[in-house]
Amino acid sequence: MRPIHLLLVPCTLLMLAACSKSPEAPAVAPAATPAPEASTTMPSSGPDPQSYANYDKVRVSDAVLDLDVSFERRELAGSAELALEWIDSAATELILDTRDLEIGKVERKVGENWQPAKFSLAPRDAKFGSKMSIELPDRATRVRISYHSRPEATGLQWLEPAQTLGRDHPFMFSQSQAIHARSWVPIQDTPAVRFTYSAHVTAPPGLRVLMSADNDAASTGEGGYNFRMPQAIPSYLLAIAVGDLEFRPLGTRAGVYAEPGRIEAAANEFSDTESMIKAAEELYGEYRWGRYDLLVLPPSFPFGGMENPRITFATPTVIAGDKSLTALVAHELAHSWSGNLVTNSGWKHFWLNEGFTSYVENRIVEVVYGAEFAQMEQVLSQDGLIEEIKDIPAADQRLVVDVIGRDPDETFSGVPYNKGAWLLLTLEQRFGREVFDPFLRGWFDQHAFKSVGTDDFVAYLKSELLDNNPGKFSETELDAWLNQPGIPDSAVHSKSARLAAVDAQRAEFQDGKRAASALDGKQWSTQEWLHFLGGLPDAPSIAQLEALDAAFDLTATGNAEIAFAWFKHGIASGYAPIKAPLEKHLVTIGRRKLVVALYEELAKTPEGKAEAIRIFRIAEPGYHPL
Ligand code: BES
Ligand code: ZN
């Protein structure tokens, strides 16, 4: 059989001190350094524990951004005009989330005129930023905030030309999920609030601006770039990128943007995108966002992919040359149903975004690349989860997690992804696809453009699946998935004949019965290699690593995922040949999944830790603020 990968084919110091500043107050010079951290003031003004917004009283329904991008000052400067819907007729205050924003003035619309509005900014909380309160005694329906971001904005990364492929132009991109939109737009930064937006953005000549909106590849940007996002989205899907970018169509409604030097490779790698959209539509109904484009970012992007509506942001490390890692595109595309269309109402329910998406990703992959490939991905996901939860506190092994007082970036794990997908797979297996597929499609249809919690899912599950099929899936089983740690008894482990064959060869190799050169590695897909490496002991013998390297040249692999798995073993075993390529990997790549565990592995020995610190010093200027 041919290898699968071939088939797959600030605010000032004064202001920070909770001062109340009316627009008439004298201007104060901006502080040169970030203000000191205040003691933790937990968000308590609204229903989302990770947002200060009082969206139970007043909601933002539309935003108009007018921003200038300055690479010299590393800031976005301009204004955000917000349309408000008052829910509580007694309320007189709008509370927004901000972090490190330098606020100039705030105005409210009175008739056709803009009038000053009083506002105050609370001390900065290390996790949640500064609560911004705007006094609106007459319940204005529009407010305008003039502001600029600060260079240290957690949601933006500013890159020097040298940190790009072309090395000629600077680059900037946002990463708003989970709670970083507040560092570049004063907003109700909670997934419970959805709003439409438009934007006018000016940038230095020669650079293209893209947003999570109606990008026009033909636009020259003269007079600035204009955007409109007519579908209501939560703040974490606000996105912007600026750089020297070229466009290639991938079909009638799909395309890819990348730096000129990477556009060819990107277009080849992602040529299955249109088939993926069709596969998803066949299963879950019409793609509702118009175009689906991809943007390949510089390697410092801290994630694999980000499902910004209409324009997925992706790491260049997904370009393996053989389409073997494009399940990532299936994943981000799947978010067009699970996440962007039906959105978790708070980060406690993150599994509703990522678990559903991981399940849908696998269904798309099955259609486009075949059942065998999809099964391999299931086994890798399940094995990965079993391994990973050994190191996760019991409370965080539940699908529904406690998030109060926690920074979502610090609670990130594979549980919402892999355990969430496993629950849906279990339901699929119990009820059969003829019942489960329409059930899931109905979930997306009935909750489209809404923000939902686990309770909504449980209610829908009961009324649409469990009650109609009594005795098939008990509440106790459901509770085990949602609220208990570990892998529930009802989980059926997926099987893959190809990965079982890899297991057999690995066992022989470890027992000394099969030489490295006699392994079928030349035919293995990326997934088979990841399974082979994942099943080796943490620290194989140096002789084993040498033999594998001699046969398959793993130290020189161009596949970043395989390199990661290989370097982990290499560090644990003290295998010297990886030293230089490991350093290059850590200095070039900022994707957390491919970097953090390598530092952790290095830090296990005193010499390794010294090396980790040495490399980190070199790499740090290139890493994203996250
Ligand atoms: N939405 C996530 C990325 C994310 C999650 C950013 C939480 C910030 C906070 C995205 O869809 C994702 O899951 N990306 C994965 C891709 C993978 C599972 C194929 C990644 O980046 O590794
Ligand atoms: Zn995702």
Side-chain angles (χ1 to χ4, degrees):
M1 167 162 302
R2 285 165 66 211
I4 268 220
H5 62 275
L6 295 178
L7 293 174
L8 307 177
V9 216
C11 214
T12 66
L13 217 55
L14 279 175
M15 285 160 73
L16 277 166
C19 69
S20 189
K21 182 177 181 274
S22 78
E24 299 83 35
V28 197
T33 46
E37 302 292 349
S39 63
T40 298
T41 49
M42 297 258 300
S44 59
S45 38
D48 178 341
Q50 281 149 335
S51 165
Y52 292 101
N54 59 340
Y55 61 91
D56 50 343
K57 301 198 164 61
V58 52
R59 280 174 173 255
V60 171
S61 59
D62 182 65
V64 182
L65 306 176
D66 192 350
L67 297 171
D68 177 62
V69 181
S70 167
F71 282 95
E72 266 131 54
R73 291 194 297 278
R74 296 192 158 200
E75 67 180 38
L76 297 178
S79 61
E81 186 180 324
L82 307 176
L84 306 176
E85 277 172 9
W86 292 86
I87 292 156
D88 181 339
S89 56
T92 54
E93 187 183 42
L94 167 69
I95 301 176
L96 300 175
D97 293 294
T98 75
R99 178 191 279 137
D100 301 330
L101 292 181
E102 195 82 46
I103 308 288
K105 62 178 176 185
V106 180
E107 298 157 294
R108 62 191 211 281
K109 202 159 192 184
V110 182
E112 285 309 300
N113 304 313
W114 290 101
Q115 303 270 328
K118 284 196 172 143
F119 73 97
S120 66
L121 222 42
R124 182 189 198 275
D125 177 85
K127 296 187 184 111
F128 305 110
S130 309
K131 163 180 169 173
M132 179 180 187
S133 311
I134 303 174
E135 290 176 33
L136 297 169
D138 44 5
R139 278 180 287 284
T141 55
R142 294 192 87 82
V143 293
R144 187 165 67 188
I145 300 151
S146 302
Y147 72 101
H148 66 80
S149 64
R150 292 230 295 236
E152 65 272 21
T154 56
L156 302 176
Q157 187 174 20
W158 300 87
L159 298 174
E160 296 293 338
Q163 295 169 288
T164 66
L165 193 64
R167 307 180 72 88
D168 270 345
H169 301 276
F171 204 109
M172 186 277 289
F173 63 87
S174 67
Q175 169 55 44
S176 297
Q177 195 180 14
I179 57 168
H180 299 286
R182 63 189 70 176
S183 74
W184 64 283
V185 186
I187 199 76
Q188 293 185 314
D189 197 10
T190 165
V193 174
R194 316 178 72 97
F195 55 92
T196 51
Y197 79 88
S198 28
H200 172 78
V201 184
T202 49
L207 299 182
R208 178 182 287 282
V209 182
L210 296 169
M211 288 194 82
S212 51
D214 60 346
N215 296 293
D216 174 8
S219 167
T220 59
E222 228 182 270
Y225 286 86
N226 293 307
F227 303 94
R228 177 75 193 148
M229 171 42 96
Q231 289 106 335
I233 58 159
S235 58
Y236 78 88
L237 295 177
L238 278 173
I240 185 168
V242 185
D244 176 20
L245 293 165
E246 202 172 309
F247 176 77
R248 274 297 165 84
L250 298 169
T252 51
R253 55 179 166 168
V256 60
Y257 294 88
E259 282 191 66
R262 213 165 351 233
I263 192 71
E264 185 77 36
N268 289 333
E269 202 77 11
F270 302 137
S271 64
D272 295 321
T273 304
E274 195 81 48
S275 328
M276 289 182 179
I277 304 174
K278 289 200 187 86
E281 286 189 310
E282 201 65 45
L283 286 161
Y284 305 114
E286 173 204 10
Y287 175 76
R288 307 193 198 205
W289 303 88
R291 292 194 56 82
Y292 179 79
D293 293 322
L294 288 145
L295 164 63
V296 181
L297 293 169
S300 65
F301 182 49
F303 293 95
M306 178 62 213
E307 66 272 27
N308 297 315
R310 297 186 185 208
I311 181 136
T312 284
F313 285 15
T315 168
T317 63
V318 72
I319 305 177
D322 59 5
K323 301 190 183 180
S324 64
L325 300 175
T326 53
L328 181 135
V329 177
H331 179 97
E332 305 312 337
L333 171 67
H335 274 303
S336 307
W337 286 264
S338 42
N340 301 6
L341 189 62
V342 182
T343 308
N344 56 205
S345 56
W347 301 113
K348 186 183 178 69
H349 309 289
F350 185 53
W351 80 277
L352 289 176
N353 274 17
E354 298 299 343
F356 278 59
T357 292
S358 301
Y359 172 83
V360 171
E361 164 198 341
N362 197 253
R363 294 296 301 270
I364 297 172
V365 156
E366 181 187 310
V367 176
V368 179
Y369 299 128
E372 197 173 47
F373 182 80
Q375 280 157 6
M376 287 204 286
E377 293 270 59
Q378 284 170 20
V379 171
L380 285 168
S381 147
Q382 295 167 4
D383 287 356
L385 178 65
I386 293 165
E387 248 336 278
E388 189 184 355
I389 61 172
K390 291 178 185 159
D391 300 322
I392 296 180
D396 289 342
Q397 296 177 18
R398 302 171 303 177
L399 282 179
V400 185
V401 286
D402 280 332
V403 296
I404 296 176
R406 300 171 80 183
D407 179 343
D409 290 335
E410 280 159 25
T411 59
F412 189 83
S413 87
V415 171
Y417 288 78
N418 303 348
K419 189 174 174 181
W422 208 345
L423 165 58
L424 297 191
L425 183 63
T426 304
L427 293 169
E428 177 207 298
Q429 290 163 342
R430 250 345 137 77
F431 294 89
R433 286 188 173 179
E434 56 299 345
V435 174
F436 186 71
D437 287 357
F439 162 84
L440 189 51
R441 187 177 176 147
W443 165 253
F444 297 136
D445 281 338
Q446 289 182 32
H447 302 87
F449 298 107
K450 293 205 170 80
S451 299
V452 295
T454 303
D455 287 351
D456 297 298
F457 176 66
V458 170
Y460 178 78
L461 178 70
K462 284 189 181 149
S463 73
E464 302 302 315
L465 202 58
L466 306 191
D467 294 353
N468 313 338
N469 300 273
K472 274 216 165 151
F473 194 80
S474 72
E475 297 218 5
T476 319
E477 284 176 305
L478 181 61
D479 179 69
W481 283 97
L482 300 178
N483 305 312
Q484 309 300 328
I487 317 283
D489 298 336
S490 57
V492 178
H493 293 249
S494 297
K495 289 202 168 59
S496 152
R498 292 182 61 161
L499 295 186
V502 171
D503 286 329
Q505 293 205 6
R506 189 196 316 99
E508 290 176 7
F509 170 70
Q510 282 177 255
D511 292 349
K513 293 185 188 134
R514 188 188 278 260
S517 55
L519 294 166
D520 290 335
K522 293 237 155 68
Q523 277 89 53
W524 285 344
S525 62
T526 296
Q527 284 65 27
E528 286 159 300
W529 267 112
L530 292 176
H531 186 66
F532 177 84
L533 294 171
L536 286 179
D538 290 346
S541 72
I542 297 289
Q544 285 175 321
L545 294 177
E546 280 171 351
L548 288 168
D549 227 0
F552 307 108
D553 211 6
L554 291 165
T555 297
T557 179
N559 184 306
E561 300 248 8
I562 295 176
F564 167 80
W566 176 249
F567 292 154
K568 230 171 126 201
H569 289 308
I571 298 167
S573 304
Y575 180 57
I578 63 162
K579 196 172 182 291
L582 168 68
E583 178 169 342
K584 184 167 175 236
H585 177 100
L586 290 172
V587 171
T588 356
I589 300 174
R591 183 178 175 188
R592 301 200 314 181
K593 177 185 164 191
L594 300 181
V595 164
V596 177
L598 296 177
Y599 280 111
E600 284 170 352
E601 195 62 49
L602 280 169
K604 285 179 182 169
T605 64
E607 317 79 68
K609 191 167 181 177
E611 177 72 349
I613 291 169
R614 183 187 69 80
I615 297 174
F616 185 79
R617 295 273 177 257
I618 300 167
E620 195 181 8
Y623 286 150
H624 188 280
L626 286 183

